[in-house]
Amino acid sequence: DIHMTQSPSSLSAAVGDRVTITCRASQDIGNWLAWYQQKPGKAPELLIYAASRLLSGVPSRFSGSGSGREFTLTISALQPEDFATFYCQQANSFPFTFGPGTKVDIK
Amino acid sequence: QVQLVESGGGVVQPGGSLRLSCATSGFTFKSHAMDWVRQAPGKGLEWVALISSDGYYENYPDSVRGRFIISRDNSKNTVYLQMNSLIPEDTAVYYCARGNDYGDYGVFDSWGQGTPLTVSS
């Protein structure tokens, strides 16, 4: 199985801050990586797929980059509605696996 | 708009069985792979099953293989998860998720609200 890690596990940031989350895969997954946002008590929502493709309707302040084993999710200017837990997930091979999550809260 | 509504969760004793349903609307169901993803209390996300758009291909992680069966009825726009030989570690919120428009397995572009399962005596 492909093991996914994320760093940091949590971070505190202010509205307007630039935030970067890193995701690493235990083996090369090409660009088969997705990012999800989950707010408390809610279902996850897809933000980015194929490492860098923004899902239609997702604000442009979200961006993704990377390939192979290392990926990043960047929020260019954090908004109040962005405080949540973010998960990366590999879709390169079965079983699909998620990272442990990065919780972004208010500084 | 795309809607996925799960039902069927509850409290089950270890060793018991339960079937979850996910009724969908707002899109061409037969054109999308469908998945189930679960989340144990306070924990992260775990993928548990995939079924292809035509229903002929399934896949599972080892943690549920042989105990869980995913199926679908394209005439009813519904996907199911039959869960057998349940163990306490299966306790989680179970989400139904839709595969993306491009037919890529493992990209979940819409999710239901989840249905909770508790396995306990």
Side-chain angles (χ1 to χ4, degrees):
Chain A
D1 297 5
I2 297 175
H3 183 63
M4 308 298 292
T5 59
Q6 289 181 234
S7 60
S9 57
S10 64
L11 65 90
S12 295
V15 173
D17 283 354
R18 180 181 182 89
V19 169
T20 299
I21 299 169
T22 299
C23 174
R24 291 183 175 87
S26 61
Q27 62 191 74
D28 190 333
I29 60 170
N31 69 341
W32 288 98
L33 185 97
W35 289 97
Y36 300 86
Q37 178 187 43
Q38 186 178 33
K39 298 178 182 177
K42 301 295 186 181
E45 294 183 348
L46 178 66
L47 299 174
I48 288 169
Y49 64 101
S52 62
R53 296 187 180 184
L54 206 64
L55 188 71
S56 176
V58 173
S60 59
R61 63 182 178 272
F62 291 95
S63 64
S65 64
S67 67
R69 296 182 57 186
E70 187 159 328
F71 303 86
T72 59
L73 171 70
T74 299
I75 309 172
S76 59
L78 202 63
Q79 296 301 300
E81 61 268 30
D82 299 338
F83 292 95
T85 299
F86 295 85
Y87 294 94
C88 63
Q89 175 242 327
Q90 67 84 14
N92 179 73
S93 61
F94 293 106
F96 305 133
T97 47
F98 291 85
T102 295
K103 184 176 181 181
V104 177
D105 61 22
I106 302 171
K107 180 185 287 184
Chain B
Q1 72 280 24
V2 174
Q3 285 197 315
L4 297 84
V5 180
E6 302 94 335
S7 60
V11 180
V12 180
Q13 291 189 339
S17 298
L18 202 67
R19 189 177 83 155
L20 306 182
S21 300
C22 173
T24 75
S25 60
F27 66 99
T28 304
F29 180 74
K30 65 182 180 181
S31 296
H32 289 261
M34 297 295 297
D35 298 73
W36 289 91
V37 177
R38 69 184 180 184
Q39 187 168 36
K43 303 296 185 182
L45 300 166
E46 181 187 16
W47 169 76
V48 294
L50 167 139
I51 189 166
S52 61
S53 58
D54 60 9
Y56 286 105
Y57 178 75
E58 304 164 27
N59 206 309
Y60 310 87
D62 288 346
S63 58
V64 307
R65 189 184 306 273
R67 301 188 299 120
F68 288 12
I69 300 171
I70 189 171
S71 62
R72 65 190 294 159
D73 186 337
N74 284 352
S75 69
K76 295 182 178 179
N77 296 338
T78 301
V79 61
Y80 305 96
L81 186 67
Q82 177 67 43
M83 303 182 293
N84 302 319
S85 303
L86 285 162
I87 59 179
E89 291 74 18
D90 294 322
T91 295
V93 173
Y94 284 74
Y95 296 102
C96 166
R98 187 186 83 160
N100 75 357
D101 285 336
Y102 303 104
D104 300 322
Y105 287 166
V107 181
F108 315 124
D109 69 358
S110 294
W111 297 61
Q113 84 288 350
T115 187
L117 168 68
T118 301
V119 182
S120 174
S121 55

